[in-house]
Amino acid sequence: MSSVIYGALLATIASFLIFQGAQSVRDISEGLLVHFLIANAAILVLLGGLSSFREFALVESARASASEENAVLLEANAALAHAERQKAMRALSCAEAAAKARESFLASMSHELRTPLNAIIGFSQILEMGDKGIAINPEKQREYVTDIRHSGEHMLSLVTQILEYSRLESEGSDLHAETLSVTEITEAAMRMVGVLADKKQIPLLRQWDGRYKFEIETDERALSQILVNLLSNAVKFTQAGGLICVCVDFDCAGGVKVEVHDNGIGIPQEKIASVRDPFFQVDDQRSTGTDGTGLGLSIVTSLIRELGGEFEIESAVGEGICCRVRLPLKIGGSISADLEEEEIERSVTSA
């Protein structure tokens, strides 16, 4: 840009010199041409300086704009890198937790499967010895046979839970919707778990309004398994002489809710979110005296999700647990939709 300005000024000076050629001698004698050249040279220097300053200003402006863009880009890249780092850390944490849970599960299964297997093999060998062994009288033989049966049932329960969890994870639950009474299914589940509760002298109490059947459209097998698992857990983690109460009521958010309360050992607040994870054990079961796979609540969570319900857990150490199951009026429906439907029905009835 400055070269163009310089060229234009030189052309102007040359034109002026040609135009004033006739009077050049007189002008030179009088010094006008010298003054003119000095003035134009000063103008030329001034315009060149202004042009250079303008070019410098443009360069600096472009450099500042580029610096701002680079700063914004660097900030965005830093934020993206931080997000990726956080994501990687979460993935690593989940992987470590899964590995720890897997190790704990394998250690537990090693203990849980060996114990009944050793009992079955040991008692079978005693019975096989016949009169030469220690099981001479029929009473002792029946006792050993009963122990073998209990050990086999325990192993079957463990294997069934593992297979059920694998099936739910790979295929989902094959649901058959039908209109059922929640209280009738609850009573049946309480009868199934009643034998275990009686051994620990834990009464199973029920609390619901007998005027209602609390009917919903759901799958009987899935709901029964949910309640049996929750009640079995309650019995397992409640000390002898404790108390378990099952409550059934209409849910203010729509549908029906079932609550299983116990006054057992409870769960620490920081572990409540993890108890639904597969193979998770609140404590080492070999030190607490409880057995299991750590799949009970995970199966419950999966089945409730299949039914379209919600699952909540409230607990404190030493105060017991409250497991709350919210079930919609229909499989696949939402509890909020049930609430809207009930409000519409009430409004139509009142009108």
Side-chain angles (χ1 to χ4, degrees), residues 34-47:
V34 175
H35 291 294
F36 176 78
L37 291 174
I38 293 173
N40 279 277
I43 293 173
L44 183 64
V45 172
L46 178 61
L47 290 176

Side-chain angles (χ1 to χ4, degrees), residues 145-161:
V145 170
T146 301
D147 290 336
I148 291 174
R149 179 173 60 83
H150 288 165
S151 298
E153 290 173 350
H154 176 66
M155 285 190 62
L156 178 62
S157 174
L158 294 175
V159 174
T160 300
Q161 278 200 335

Side-chain angles (χ1 to χ4, degrees), residues 109-124:
M109 285 300 96
S110 175
H111 170 75
E112 292 303 321
L113 293 177
R114 282 178 181 174
T115 301
L117 274 175
N118 288 333
I120 291 172
I121 294 173
F123 292 137
S124 299

Side-chain angles (χ1 to χ4, degrees), residues 195-224:
V195 178
L196 300 175
D198 290 341
K199 289 182 178 179
K200 298 180 68 174
Q201 297 181 344
I202 299 174
L204 298 179
L205 307 181
R206 63 199 70 190
Q207 183 178 348
W208 57 74
D209 193 334
R211 295 175 298 173
Y212 305 103
K213 292 185 177 180
F214 299 97
E215 291 183 338
I216 61 174
E217 185 182 286
T218 189
D219 181 84
E220 181 177 6
R221 178 176 174 274
L223 181 55
S224 177

Side-chain angles (χ1 to χ4, degrees), residues 210-274:
R211 295 175 298 173
Y212 305 103
K213 292 185 177 180
F214 299 97
E215 291 183 338
I216 61 174
E217 185 182 286
T218 189
D219 181 84
E220 181 177 6
R221 178 176 174 274
L223 181 55
S224 177
Q225 186 170 1
I226 289 169
L227 296 174
V228 168
N229 283 13
L230 292 179
L231 287 168
S232 299
N233 263 15
V235 172
K236 185 186 302 181
F237 295 103
T238 300
Q239 300 89 338
L243 185 67
I244 297 174
C245 181
V246 183
C247 305
V248 180
D249 200 357
F250 293 110
D251 192 0
C252 61
V256 174
K257 66 178 179 181
V258 181
E259 296 180 348
V260 178
H261 301 261
D262 67 64
N263 60 351
I265 60 176
I267 303 173
Q269 287 292 326
E270 66 273 11
K271 294 186 177 181
I272 290 180
S274 302

